[in-house]
Amino acid sequence: MSRSTKGRGFTRRQFIQTAAAAGGAVALPSARAVKPADQATPPGHTDADVILQNGKIHTMDAQNRIVSALAIKDGRFLSVGEAHPGPRTKMIDLGGRTVVPGIIDNHNHIVLMGNRPGYHTPLENALSIKDVQDLYKARAAGAPVGAWITTIGGFHTNHIYATPGDPLSGRMPTLAELDAAVPNNPVFMMISFTGPGATNSLGKSILQGQGVTVADNGAISGSASTGCPRALLYLRQALLNPEARRRSTVDAMQYAVSIGVTTHLDQGAFQATNTTADGAAHEDNYTMHIPFLQVYDQGEGLIRTRINFLHMESDQNTPELVQRLKNAFPFIGNDWVKTGGIGEFIAQGTNTSSPFVEAAKKVARAGWRAEVHSLGRRTTGNPTAPADFEFEIMGFEAANLEVPGIVREKRWVVAHVPGIDQVWIDRLQAIGGNLSLTGWQYLAGSFPTTNLNTPYAGPPFRMIVDSSNRPGGIHAGLSSDGMQIAPMNPWLHMYYATTGLNARNVLINPNQQISREEALALYTSKNGWFLREEDDLGSIEEGKLADLVVLNSDYFTVPNEGLKKIRSVMTVVGGKIVHDTKVLNVRG
């Protein structure tokens, strides 16, 4: 086992007990109590490895403490509100900056992102054609001449304005604009699962030789036979090898910590066919985790990864799911990487002819956690047919009857839920089910016009948070569903949750806005529970794993548009600095 993963099974309770035994007791500070970090170390107090001081540290604990200093030892928070340096303590002056717990994304696809061909370059934060050019130019500067610069999913033309301030001007860069930014490297970019996309002159010459049709302006259609899927298949076959996958995995991790996402619950992929039927969400479910495991084993892991296993069989007998449940174990691993449950699909389809209900019962009988995916809502065209979330919740109820209490005990989840309403929230709550909320509509969502029961683009954040605040209320957390149809950047999702505005600055989720504090809680303290790791993750508290993010601006006071520009200036995972823009004063 590597240096980054060995011996990390140390729990918060063990940490506190060990520290108490070694030093008499760990003095837990009262709310908002802060002592100067340069006081002499009290007799018997364990010296800190790292101290952060002079900041606005939002702990997101039960008391919502805001403190100015904290101390870290052995990868965990030693004290919060007190900080006592020793002779070898590293001192970090926050300079008044805002600190929050490490962001937990309870539903994304970072493993897919880590297996992208080429030098994958996220464009979710680009707000103009010039931003795209600048990002590509910087990426090419760090890549070999002739290497492919790629962006596969996670962005949309809606936020790439050609004319500053005019969202109606959003479009793909042209071949000439890409040539100007990246003259010596071929480029391939595509939105969503299958495009459309664009390329530059070098890319055009190569892709046309592979049967891809490229317009004079560099545009590539979403056609499976001659468009983006054919280009993507070629790039995967030509560029992906074990070394390239490991490099791309590290790149994905580096991007994640640059935006403050320290823990990821990955939701798998559609099984690759190695044909043009594959899109951005396809990979080999049986090998795609290997580069991640190798990176962790080499001591280069920067984030915490939790792995769900996606099963999307149409066979009523679900033979692959049966074998998974018989021959694998959930929640096995360490603090850095471990397995999870079945999801975000447990079977193909959500109707009476699909194997969904029987698959749910099989998962229940095996004692596993299940997570499922809902993007539907009722429509005027067929008002009596159940939406996907309704059928899924009925399937959960059937599984819960077969194995009483399984949904509550294993924390089963329905994800995304743009169309859910109060009736079904209450039904899911009654059996102990939970909701993962994704603002994926931010990129390309619009106001629904055919919806009978839900006059919002969703998810109904306000309705769900109010439900969670009731005694015994439903558990809810925020997620990104990045990196195909949605961005990974949590600050974009918090922008959408708190404003209801999409990437074109149009209000599409009216009357469902939540506060910034509520949104941040859904991405931190509430999500620790979703991982079954609330004793270790989600808030800055004594004994918990030392994951935190120092922000470039104050999340709580920055104007709404400023939320889109929040980044990390320093990210710490397990007490280790994994991202550092060198703007903080660090001594020792």
Side-chain angles (χ1 to χ4, degrees):
M1 187 59 68
S2 73
R3 64 183 180 272
S4 72
T5 58
K6 186 183 294 183
R8 294 303 182 97
F10 206 46
T11 68
R12 179 188 181 197
R13 180 173 296 177
Q14 289 171 328
F15 175 87
I16 293 174
Q17 290 172 342
T18 302
V26 175
L28 300 182
S30 59
R32 303 183 184 276
V34 180
K35 291 184 179 180
D38 58 356
Q39 286 186 358
T41 303
H45 194 101
T46 308
D47 294 343
D49 296 328
V50 180
I51 285 175
L52 289 83
Q53 60 183 356
N54 189 27
K56 290 191 294 184
I57 301 170
H58 293 261
T59 65
M60 304 305 291
D61 66 5
Q63 293 76 41
N64 254 340
R65 287 184 296 165
I66 303 172
V67 300
S68 65
L70 60 80
I72 297 170
K73 185 173 180 64
D74 296 331
R76 292 180 180 265
F77 294 116
L78 174 66
S79 61
V80 177
E82 292 185 338
H84 303 289
R88 291 177 297 278
T89 301
K90 178 179 291 186
M91 303 294 297
I92 301 175
D93 185 351
L94 297 169
R97 292 188 181 272
T98 297
V99 177
V100 299
I103 300 297
I104 300 170
D105 191 339
N106 75 37
H107 183 117
N108 73 15
H109 298 273
I110 193 168
V111 174
L112 275 169
M113 184 183 178
N115 282 275
R116 296 298 195 216
Y119 283 74
H120 180 74
T121 308
L123 291 178
E124 59 189 40
N125 303 313
L127 299 177
S128 67
I129 296 293
K130 184 179 184 304
D131 285 350
V132 174
Q133 291 176 310
D134 290 346
L135 286 166
Y136 275 176
K137 187 179 299 183
R139 186 64 157 146
V145 172
W148 279 90
I149 308 300
T150 60
T151 305
I152 300 165
F155 77 104
H156 199 275
T157 54
N158 281 346
H159 59 86
I160 302 177
Y161 301 169
T163 304
D166 179 13
L168 296 179
S169 68
R171 62 170 174 80
M172 285 279 190
T174 65
L175 180 144
E177 288 166 338
L178 292 173
D179 281 348
V182 191
N184 300 315
N185 296 76
V187 169
F188 174 70
M189 57 191 298
M190 58 171 270
I191 66 172
S192 193
F193 297 118
T194 59
T199 188
N200 64 351
S201 293
L202 284 176
K204 179 180 180 180
S205 64
I206 297 171
L207 293 176
Q208 285 182 323
Q210 301 298 319
V212 179
T213 300
V214 182
D216 290 342
N217 67 351
I220 304 173
S221 76
S223 165
S225 59
T226 61
C228 286
R230 178 168 291 280
L232 181 57
L233 178 63
Y234 162 71
L235 292 172
R236 283 171 165 160
Q237 292 175 339
L239 304 179
L240 286 177
N241 56 48
E243 182 181 1
R245 289 180 190 270
R246 287 191 295 271
R247 177 191 54 74
S248 187
T249 292
V250 173
D251 286 349
M253 292 182 174
Q254 288 175 338
Y255 176 71
V257 294
S258 77
I259 55 174
V261 187
T262 57
T263 300
H264 305 249
L265 176 50
D266 184 82
Q267 300 288 338
F270 301 131
Q271 183 57 38
T273 64
N274 298 315
T275 69
T276 55
D278 293 348
H282 286 76
E283 251 296 343
D284 188 332
N285 275 286
Y286 304 100
T287 62
M288 68 184 190
H289 302 103
I290 291 174
F292 277 75
L293 298 178
Q294 290 174 335
V295 166
Y296 283 113
D297 195 53
Q298 292 167 359
E300 297 177 1
L302 305 178
I303 60 172
R304 304 188 192 278
T305 305
R306 309 296 183 251
I307 300 168
N308 268 4
F309 300 106
L310 185 150
H311 284 268
M312 202 174 186
E313 298 169 90
S314 58
D315 187 328
Q316 293 291 330
N317 297 314
T318 59
E320 292 180 3
L321 174 63
V322 168
Q323 292 305 312
R324 174 84 67 189
L325 297 172
K326 285 170 56 177
N327 295 291
F329 300 95
F331 311 115
I332 295 296
N334 55 42
D335 291 337
W336 286 87
V337 57
K338 67 176 65 170
T339 60
I342 306 298
E344 67 180 292
F345 293 91
I346 63 174
Q348 184 171 337
T350 50
N351 53 62
T352 54
S353 63
S354 78
F356 179 88
V357 174
E358 288 306 311
K361 291 179 180 178
K362 290 171 184 174
V363 175
R365 287 194 294 267
W368 279 60
R369 179 183 186 269
E371 180 162 347
V372 297
H373 147 125
S374 164
L375 296 180
R377 53 170 58 89
R378 284 192 160 189
T379 68
T380 55
N382 193 1
T384 61
D388 56 0
F389 63 86
E390 296 172 330
F391 191 85
E392 289 163 348
I393 292 170
M394 288 188 284
F396 279 22
E397 289 170 336
N400 206 59
L401 281 175
E402 181 134 335
V403 183
I406 188 69
V407 173
R408 187 180 308 277
E409 177 190 350
K410 296 301 182 181
R411 307 182 185 186
W412 286 27
V413 173
V414 182
H416 313 322
V417 292
I420 200 167
D421 58 25
Q422 191 66 60
V423 170
W424 289 91
I425 293 170
D426 292 345
R427 280 185 67 164
L428 184 60
Q429 178 186 321
I431 58 172
N434 313 283
L435 294 170
S436 171
L437 314 179
T438 303
W440 63 278
Q441 300 247 39
Y442 165 77
L443 284 185
S446 59
F447 191 82
T449 57
T450 60
N451 193 328
L452 285 179
N453 303 313
T454 50
Y456 41 77
F461 294 107
R462 182 74 269 152
M463 182 190 303
I464 292 169
V465 169
D466 287 346
S467 298
S468 72
N469 289 334
R470 301 180 305 193
I474 197 164
H475 285 274
L478 261 173
S479 60
S480 72
D481 197 27
M483 296 287 294
Q484 280 72 241
I485 61 172
M488 181 194 293
N489 187 337
W491 313 104
L492 295 177
H493 290 279
M494 285 188 259
Y495 170 86
Y496 177 62
T498 56
T499 68
L501 300 172
N502 68 6
R504 288 197 167 191
N505 203 36
V506 176
L507 180 63
I508 63 171
N509 207 24
N511 305 313
Q512 293 300 328
Q513 296 93 331
I514 58 177
S515 72
R516 293 191 187 183
E517 185 170 306
E518 288 169 329
L520 184 60
L522 290 172
Y523 252 128
T524 55
S525 58
K526 304 296 185 183
N527 269 349
W529 185 91
F530 267 75
L531 298 181
R532 304 165 59 89
E533 298 179 62
E534 62 267 37
D535 287 341
D536 283 322
L537 294 171
S539 59
I540 297 173
E541 298 183 70
E542 291 84 353
K544 285 194 172 185
L545 292 166
D547 297 359
L548 60 82
V549 188
V550 185
L551 304 180
N552 62 346
S553 58
D554 189 342
Y555 166 78
F556 293 95
T557 63
V558 71
N560 284 338
E561 288 302 306
L563 292 173
K564 299 177 184 179
K565 299 179 181 180
I566 289 182
R567 305 288 184 270
S568 168
V569 300
M570 178 180 285
T571 302
V572 175
V573 180
K576 173 185 175 182
I577 298 173
V578 294
H579 172 73
D580 187 2
T581 60
K582 308 296 184 182
V583 301
L584 300 179
N585 182 19
V586 180
R587 293 185 289 110

